[in-house]
Amino acid sequence: MARDERGVTAQSEDFAAWYNEVVFKAGLVDRGPAKGTMVIRPYGYRLWELLQSELDRRIKDTGHENAYFPLLIPESYLGREAEHVEGFSPELAVVTHVGGKVLEEPLVVRPTSETIIGEMMAKWISSHRDLPLLLNQWANVVRWELRPRMFLRTTEFLWQEGHTAHVDEASARRETMLALDIYHEVARELAAIPVVPGEKTPGERFAGAVATYTIEGMMRDGRALQSGTSHYMGIKFASAFDIRFTSETGREELCHTTSWGMSTRMIGGIVMTHGDDKGLVFPPRLAPHQVVIVPITRGGNVAVEGAADELAHRLRSVGVRTHVDARPHLTPGFKYNEWEMRGVPVRLELGPRDLEDGTVMMVKRLGDDGKQAVPIDSLPEAMPGVLDDFQAFLLARATAFRDGHARTVDNWTDFADAVSTGWALALHCGIAACEEEIKSLTAATPRCVPLGGEPETGVCVRCGAASAYGKRVIFGRAY
Amino acid sequence: MARDERGVTAQSEDFAAWYNEVVFKAGLVDRGPAKGTMVIRPYGYRLWELLQSELDRRIKDTGHENAYFPLLIPESYLGREAEHVEGFSPELAVVTHVGGKVLEEPLVVRPTSETIIGEMMAKWISSHRDLPLLLNQWANVVRWELRPRMFLRTTEFLWQEGHTAHVDEASARRETMLALDIYHEVARELAAIPVVPGEKTPGERFAGAVATYTIEGMMRDGRALQSGTSHYMGIKFASAFDIRFTSETGREELCHTTSWGMSTRMIGGIVMTHGDDKGLVFPPRLAPHQVVIVPITRGGNVAVEGAADELAHRLRSVGVRTHVDARPHLTPGFKYNEWEMRGVPVRLELGPRDLEDGTVMMVKRLGDDGKQAVPIDSLPEAMPGVLDDFQAFLLARATAFRDGHARTVDNWTDFADAVSTGWALALHCGIAACEEEIKSLTAATPRCVPLGGEPETGVCVRCGAASAYGKRVIFGRAY
């Protein structure tokens, strides 16, 4: 395959190969020894930590408390909610032995924690005064993957899972939408992914949910990535786990519950939303290094090295995550290529000449600005704005890409054409067999019924039956 | 059993019962369904998060990077280091089935990650330029426990595990001591536990280590709690996993590695170091709520409630973690007892009279100050100092307790007496059979050879043979 000088396959040639090369080459991830597992390397983990701290703050600011529930769940728990066990059974990893002895009851490694948290909620909740109970946990989960892809589908991944219990449907549904709003904001404002929030069609719902909401991002190959989901469970899990409360009027009632999760999958979403043929492009708000300074010292130049360190210090003092690449055995050119491939938003090149002039060469990872000589002393004040502009640029670029690859279609030919390169917004009958037929013909599935969609009715784009949902559905091939 | 009005067994009557009652009653923890597992409830988890963020900052400030390695490890990996597998085999939870099918090779749920990280290090390290490799991960681990005790010995617990690789022994040993220093500082300055840093005797070493260092805390029943350990592995794991590098002179050499961990066990240590018959006492630097304000409203008093909220706001703005307990259905007296039991360092009682006087009643969780009327307007400035003083008071109190229960002994009668209520500092021969005999007679084991101990030689306190280690050893009963 053709590769550019940095050895990455072009996106246009083979997007999947590009993705696989770039996540490994950029040092985000490595393969674990057990099938489908991944090692999140420091550069990838730092991105996750930055996303995590922003998401965690929003979760706490809206009244949720973090807790931690056991990894190992008695196998019988899963079976208490019929749809739930049916959905997860094929993916369960099961512990049958401990210390060389067979367990009486096997334990599953949590694929998600509705069951064990439901069991504990039943114990903790007795009065309406205990509600709402707003919990969140940061945890690893295991779902066996036959066709793993780093960050997108791995046997183990990291996530947060919110679990809440409420006195009634209205309160639980408000919570479901609140979580979706948080995900929307995090994806859009931090990851610069212009996701579309919407509701899943029945066939795409979480196993055991009454309603599932999602944020869907468009990747640069036109496919959709489900980037966070929020579920209203009704009283299904409350019935299965006996989560009851005594109401203000003294009646015993079942709680309405929700759950919602965002995972390390977001890292893959960031890679596929912003990356290009040179490699990664990180949005500044989540970039481990927002700025990399490359001192051009050709065999050691104390003044240049000192100036680079001082500039880094000044940038850090205004909150800019700055890295000085002082590795003596590598050329500046090698470093430029490497940090471009690793997606650093802004590179500063500082040589002896620049230092004499009191300037530094600034190069942004994307955009038409080219190299610019910038006064060193202006940078501490200017850099936060440069990064904000770059963040806004990425969001605008991704939005333009998304809008350029999403078409409103009213006939099958246009539909098939649209989903071959992006999304189709179409009316659909909502019938499962018709969804299946569309999938088998085009590989496209209903991604969501967008919350912002205008009311519209008519006939199904495929079968001509009366449309469902009262508005258009987004169809696309999905990760 | 006799209980005080809050229903907690007295420490002096049955320390183990006191501990078990208080950790549940204070809402730190609950039992999980699988044997020996725990649910860390929000109040306990918040304490862990505060400790975690402080420890994480120190780990990063000393050049380590966080990463994440898979939970599931091929069973054969454990066997590559003989002592390691022997030490951990009895505690391993093993996944044998996934998605209903039998795995070709069983996977163990990580009890610790030396093996899988060793495997990855071998892949990542090739040159001396790749060293030192300084990694850390925050993770859950599983070690099957037959006699579980919440936080102290649980089937699953949370921790950080540092794993580093170095060019030589000197560098690796420096790292081992650096990690121990961090643990010492975190335990002493944040948890207010005056731990003793020292080296483990050979029989107490980590499975596979060349040297194990520990910080040992004394609990209020006189027992020792190992509160963090740091291991120098020599080239044992590097040999087992082929972690090699090319030196500056072009020779291929094995790395020297280290690992070190601190866990949720620390929560148990805090409970048992500072708690009393009223319940928990939290050190301010880790207390989820440093200050609780109880408005005395007797059926609703808008002015008092508003003043409580305003005071909370002002305290938070100077960085004091403040909680207003506005629950309308509970009496002030009930709340006072509850927050005492839950270990809040400072309580502020605010009634209509106080508000008229512009004061608030301040009550510290421990100490001889009693209730003090304090001007409301002085609190934002004064409170950080009040909390610092309380933190220092707890450390001094715990230090006095430790020193009052640690005796330098030179004969067996004194030794047996000392370890029945605390620690014995004694000369010991270092012979395993003699250690075993001491353990069977007194339940005491060598906790560590303290780093700060004065050089001293003589005869073994038990068998009269020549002493080892060149200094006294701390013996005590341990958790």
Side-chain angles (χ1 to χ4, degrees):
Chain A
M1 272 179 284
R3 288 148 187 265
D4 84 349
E5 70 273 22
R6 279 161 295 271
V8 180
T9 299
Q11 286 188 339
S12 56
E13 191 177 338
D14 184 341
F15 193 84
W18 169 84
Y19 178 79
N20 249 313
E21 289 168 23
V22 85
V23 293
F24 286 104
K25 230 178 146 69
L28 295 181
V29 73
D30 209 335
R31 246 179 276 277
K35 184 177 172 63
T37 60
M38 65 177 164
V39 175
I40 308 179
R41 299 185 69 175
Y43 196 57
Y45 197 81
R46 186 73 193 120
L47 180 77
W48 175 241
E49 284 185 315
L50 290 163
L51 187 145
Q52 195 176 23
S53 75
E54 291 279 355
L55 179 52
D56 189 64
R57 184 166 58 73
R58 286 166 175 80
I59 289 171
K60 285 181 174 144
D61 284 351
T62 47
H64 304 85
E65 293 186 301
N66 286 343
Y68 186 77
F69 294 84
L71 172 76
L72 301 174
I73 302 175
E75 199 173 37
S76 60
Y77 278 35
L78 276 283
R80 291 203 212 156
E81 211 295 318
E83 293 170 28
H84 193 65
V85 71
E86 194 191 323
F88 282 104
S89 280
E91 303 176 356
L92 295 178
V94 184
V95 173
T96 54
H97 291 68
V98 295
K101 296 196 183 105
V102 179
L103 282 170
E104 274 182 40
E105 179 179 1
L107 299 169
V108 305
V109 183
R110 68 177 157 230
T112 180
S113 302
E114 279 76 10
T115 60
I116 194 164
I117 294 181
E119 176 79 5
M120 299 311 298
M121 281 181 166
K123 192 172 164 186
W124 296 336
I125 295 169
S126 59
S127 154
H128 64 93
R129 290 200 191 88
D130 302 320
L131 299 173
L133 181 57
L134 307 175
L135 298 175
N136 178 61
Q137 98 170 339
W138 290 94
N140 53 343
V141 289
V142 170
R143 300 176 184 178
W144 208 257
E145 273 297 343
L146 297 176
R147 297 167 302 131
R149 199 178 287 203
M150 295 296 101
F151 295 121
L152 305 175
R153 279 196 312 269
T154 48
T155 288
E156 180 189 11
F157 58 86
L158 304 182
W159 75 347
Q160 59 66 223
E161 45 180 325
H163 295 270
T164 69
H166 304 260
V167 291
D168 59 19
E169 173 168 355
S171 168
R173 282 194 178 270
R174 271 197 305 276
E175 169 74 18
T176 310
M177 300 319 287
L178 169 68
L180 193 74
D181 284 348
I182 291 174
Y183 292 158
H184 189 182
E185 182 182 307
V186 164
R188 190 181 162 83
E189 303 305 323
L190 299 170
I193 305 179
V195 292
V196 175
E199 184 173 355
K200 286 287 186 192
T201 55
E204 299 278 331
R205 263 182 214 141
F206 178 77
V210 169
T212 289
Y213 297 86
T214 177
I215 51 170
E216 298 281 325
M218 184 189 281
M219 306 297 102
R220 288 189 82 76
D221 62 350
R223 288 185 188 236
L225 184 74
Q226 177 180 304
S227 306
T229 49
S230 184
H231 316 289
Y232 167 58
M233 302 299 193
I235 56 166
K236 286 192 190 185
F237 282 88
S239 305
F241 288 90
D242 210 28
I243 313 174
R244 292 169 187 280
F245 69 99
T246 307
S247 73
E248 282 193 73
T249 60
R251 285 200 317 168
E252 191 159 275
E253 297 183 24
L254 284 168
C255 290
H256 291 251
T257 67
T258 83
S259 75
W260 29 280
M262 183 176 262
S263 76
T264 40
R265 176 170 244 222
M266 276 295 282
I267 300 173
I270 290 166
V271 171
M272 293 195 295
T273 299
H274 303 300
D276 65 12
D277 287 350
K278 289 182 180 171
L280 303 178
V281 180
F282 277 161
R285 293 191 67 182
L286 297 178
H289 307 314
Q290 296 174 313
V291 172
V292 164
I293 303 175
V294 179
I296 306 166
T297 60
R298 311 203 191 281
N301 180 319
V302 176
V304 168
E305 282 164 5
D309 286 341
E310 195 202 321
L311 176 56
H313 181 76
R314 290 173 69 190
L315 288 172
R316 286 183 198 124
S317 73
V318 294
V320 175
R321 292 187 291 274
T322 308
H323 176 70
V324 178
D325 185 351
R327 291 175 292 176
H329 59 293
L330 299 173
T331 65
F334 181 94
K335 294 178 185 178
Y336 302 163
N337 286 344
E338 180 170 307
W339 292 115
E340 281 189 349
M341 192 264 290
R342 300 186 81 185
V344 172
V346 175
R347 179 173 82 237
L348 300 177
E349 309 170 3
L350 179 61
R353 279 272 183 81
D354 305 305
L355 189 55
E356 270 172 38
D357 298 344
T359 62
V360 66
M361 298 304 291
M362 180 167 82
V363 189
K364 290 184 223 156
R365 176 61 180 79
L366 273 183
D368 301 324
D369 305 343
K371 282 197 192 194
Q372 290 174 281
V374 181
I376 292 178
D377 287 339
S378 73
L379 283 171
E381 205 188 318
M383 191 55 75
V386 170
L387 294 170
D388 285 349
D389 290 349
F390 192 78
Q391 179 87 24
F393 169 79
L394 287 188
L395 180 61
R397 173 173 170 266
T399 304
F401 183 88
R402 180 198 70 187
D403 293 345
H405 291 76
R407 283 170 58 196
T408 300
V409 297
D410 291 309
N411 65 66
W412 180 247
T413 310
D414 288 352
F415 180 98
D417 188 48
V419 298
S420 72
T421 57
W423 295 351
L425 279 77
L427 291 171
H428 187 257
C429 60
I431 296 166
C434 182
E435 272 187 21
E436 274 306 311
E437 193 186 32
I438 290 175
K439 186 175 178 182
S440 70
L441 290 169
T442 66
T445 50
R447 302 320 307 147
C448 69
V449 184
L451 296 181
E454 294 294 317
E456 192 174 344
T457 54
V459 296
C460 174
V461 71
R462 174 67 198 160
C463 72
S467 71
Y469 312 118
K471 55 172 87 167
R472 286 176 186 269
V473 180
I474 294 178
F475 279 83
R477 292 166 303 147
Y479 279 96
Chain B
M1 272 180 286
R3 288 147 187 266
D4 84 349
E5 70 274 20
R6 279 161 295 271
V8 181
T9 299
Q11 286 188 338
S12 57
E13 191 177 337
D14 184 340
F15 193 84
W18 169 84
Y19 178 80
N20 249 314
E21 289 167 23
V22 86
V23 292
F24 287 104
K25 230 177 146 70
L28 295 181
V29 73
D30 209 335
R31 246 179 277 278
K35 185 176 171 62
T37 61
M38 65 177 164
V39 175
I40 308 179
R41 299 185 69 174
Y43 196 57
Y45 197 81
R46 187 73 194 121
L47 180 77
W48 175 242
E49 284 185 314
L50 290 162
L51 187 145
Q52 195 176 23
S53 76
E54 291 279 355
L55 179 51
D56 189 64
R57 184 166 58 73
R58 286 166 174 80
I59 289 171
K60 285 180 174 143
D61 284 350
T62 47
H64 304 86
E65 294 185 300
N66 286 343
Y68 185 77
F69 295 84
L71 172 76
L72 301 174
I73 302 175
E75 199 173 36
S76 60
Y77 278 34
L78 276 284
R80 291 202 211 156
E81 211 295 318
E83 293 171 28
H84 193 65
V85 71
E86 194 191 324
F88 281 104
S89 280
E91 303 176 355
L92 294 178
V94 184
V95 173
T96 54
H97 290 68
V98 295
K101 296 195 182 106
V102 179
L103 282 170
E104 273 182 39
E105 179 179 1
L107 299 169
V108 305
V109 182
R110 67 177 158 230
T112 180
S113 302
E114 279 75 11
T115 60
I116 194 163
I117 294 181
E119 176 80 5
M120 299 312 298
M121 280 181 166
K123 192 171 164 186
W124 296 336
I125 295 168
S126 59
S127 154
H128 63 93
R129 290 199 191 89
D130 302 320
L131 299 173
L133 182 57
L134 307 175
L135 298 175
N136 179 61
Q137 96 170 340
W138 290 94
N140 54 343
V141 288
V142 170
R143 300 177 185 177
W144 208 257
E145 273 297 343
L146 297 176
R147 296 167 303 131
R149 199 178 288 203
M150 295 296 101
F151 296 120
L152 306 175
R153 279 196 312 269
T154 48
T155 288
E156 180 189 11
F157 58 86
L158 304 182
W159 76 348
Q160 59 67 223
E161 45 180 325
H163 295 271
T164 69
H166 304 261
V167 291
D168 59 19
E169 173 167 354
S171 167
R173 282 194 178 270
R174 271 197 305 277
E175 169 74 18
T176 310
M177 300 319 287
L178 169 68
L180 193 74
D181 283 348
I182 291 174
Y183 292 157
H184 189 182
E185 181 182 307
V186 164
R188 190 182 162 82
E189 302 305 323
L190 299 171
I193 305 179
V195 292
V196 175
E199 184 173 354
K200 286 288 185 192
T201 55
E204 299 278 331
R205 264 183 213 140
F206 178 77
V210 169
T212 289
Y213 296 86
T214 177
I215 51 170
E216 298 282 325
M218 185 189 281
M219 306 297 102
R220 288 189 82 76
D221 62 351
R223 289 184 188 237
L225 184 74
Q226 176 180 306
S227 306
T229 49
S230 184
H231 316 290
Y232 167 58
M233 302 299 193
I235 56 166
K236 286 193 190 184
F237 281 89
S239 305
F241 289 90
D242 210 27
I243 313 174
R244 292 170 186 280
F245 69 99
T246 307
S247 73
E248 283 192 73
T249 60
R251 285 199 317 167
E252 191 159 274
E253 297 183 24
L254 284 168
C255 290
H256 291 251
T257 67
T258 83
S259 75
W260 28 280
M262 182 176 263
S263 76
T264 40
R265 178 171 242 222
M266 276 294 282
I267 300 173
I270 290 166
V271 171
M272 293 195 295
T273 299
H274 303 300
D276 65 11
D277 287 350
K278 289 182 180 171
L280 303 178
V281 180
F282 277 161
R285 293 192 65 182
L286 297 178
H289 307 314
Q290 296 174 312
V291 172
V292 164
I293 303 175
V294 179
I296 306 166
T297 60
R298 311 203 190 280
N301 180 320
V302 176
V304 168
E305 283 164 5
D309 286 340
E310 195 201 321
L311 176 56
H313 181 76
R314 290 173 68 190
L315 289 172
R316 286 184 199 124
S317 73
V318 294
V320 175
R321 291 187 291 274
T322 308
H323 176 70
V324 178
D325 185 351
R327 291 174 293 176
H329 59 293
L330 299 173
T331 64
F334 181 94
K335 294 178 185 177
Y336 302 163
N337 286 343
E338 180 171 306
W339 292 115
E340 281 189 348
M341 193 263 291
R342 299 186 82 185
V344 172
V346 175
R347 180 174 79 237
L348 300 177
E349 308 171 3
L350 179 61
R353 279 272 184 81
D354 305 305
L355 188 55
E356 269 172 38
D357 298 344
T359 62
V360 66
M361 298 303 292
M362 181 167 81
V363 189
K364 290 184 223 155
R365 177 60 180 78
L366 274 184
D368 302 325
D369 305 343
K371 282 197 193 193
Q372 291 173 280
V374 181
I376 291 178
D377 287 338
S378 73
L379 283 171
E381 204 188 318
M383 191 54 76
V386 170
L387 294 170
D388 285 349
D389 290 349
F390 192 78
Q391 179 87 24
F393 169 79
L394 287 189
L395 180 61
R397 173 173 170 265
T399 305
F401 183 87
R402 180 197 70 186
D403 293 345
H405 291 77
R407 283 171 58 196
T408 300
V409 298
D410 290 308
N411 64 66
W412 180 248
T413 311
D414 288 352
F415 181 98
D417 188 48
V419 298
S420 72
T421 57
W423 295 351
L425 279 77
L427 292 171
H428 186 257
C429 60
I431 297 166
C434 181
E435 272 187 21
E436 274 306 312
E437 193 186 32
I438 290 175
K439 186 174 178 184
S440 70
L441 290 169
T442 65
T445 49
R447 301 322 307 147
C448 70
V449 184
L451 296 181
E454 294 295 317
E456 192 175 343
T457 54
V459 297
C460 174
V461 71
R462 174 66 198 160
C463 71
S467 70
Y469 312 118
K471 55 172 88 167
R472 286 176 186 269
V473 180
I474 294 178
F475 279 83
R477 292 166 304 147
Y479 279 97

